[in-house]
Amino acid sequence: MLIGELATASGLSREALRFYEQQGLIRAQRLANGYRDYPPEAVMLVQYIRTAQQLGFTLAEIGDRLPDIWDAPDPAPMLAQVLAGKLGEIDARIAALQALRQTLAERVATDCPLRAVGPF
């Protein structure tokens, strides 16, 4: 399918698709006239990329993990593993933010907030 057809099918702009291609996330063959020709599965791949971004994955993370998921005979277990890893990262960030919040709250409650109360 041509880039305009993929744009329509995926809901992304042509520019976004070109960017994904520059990042190595999707691939197209070049026709004799120079037009990009995407395989039919590119629609599902672009939808996966968009969903992964909405779930907090960066394009670099998507690109790093994409081949393993895409090439797996059954991608569900690999995808579940990747999502579980991301969930662990988010939990760690939440814990770090909660600790930071606690430290800030302790400092606000003192006479001199710049003076260390605890481990700072």
Side-chain angles (χ1 to χ4, degrees):
M1 78 181 55
L2 299 177
I3 193 166
E5 295 168 322
L6 180 56
T8 300
S10 67
L12 286 178
S13 68
R14 294 172 191 215
E15 293 77 23
L17 295 171
R18 287 185 193 106
F19 180 75
Y20 283 178
E21 189 174 352
Q22 289 171 348
Q23 299 302 307
L25 299 172
I26 61 175
R27 293 190 183 112
Q29 299 282 332
R30 290 293 184 151
L31 300 175
N33 60 6
Y35 289 1
R36 291 172 169 88
D37 183 33
Y38 295 93
E41 60 269 11
V43 175
M44 185 182 355
L45 181 56
V46 169
Q47 290 171 341
Y48 163 77
I49 294 167
R50 290 181 69 193
T51 301
Q53 283 184 289
Q54 291 169 347
L55 292 172
F57 289 87
T58 66
L59 289 179
E61 290 172 324
I62 295 166
D64 289 344
R65 294 176 176 109
L66 188 61
D68 293 335
I69 294 169
W70 199 250
D71 293 338
D74 180 10
M78 177 61 72
L79 188 54
Q81 181 181 2
V82 169
L83 293 176
K86 187 64 166 181
L87 185 59
E89 291 173 20
I90 290 170
D91 287 342
R93 287 186 2 216
I94 289 171
L97 286 170
Q98 287 174 331
L100 178 59
R101 186 192 186 290
Q102 178 63 35
T103 301
L104 287 171
E106 290 170 1
R107 285 178 179 247
V108 166
T110 66
D111 292 336
C112 181
L114 293 178
R115 187 174 318 146
V117 176
F120 253 58

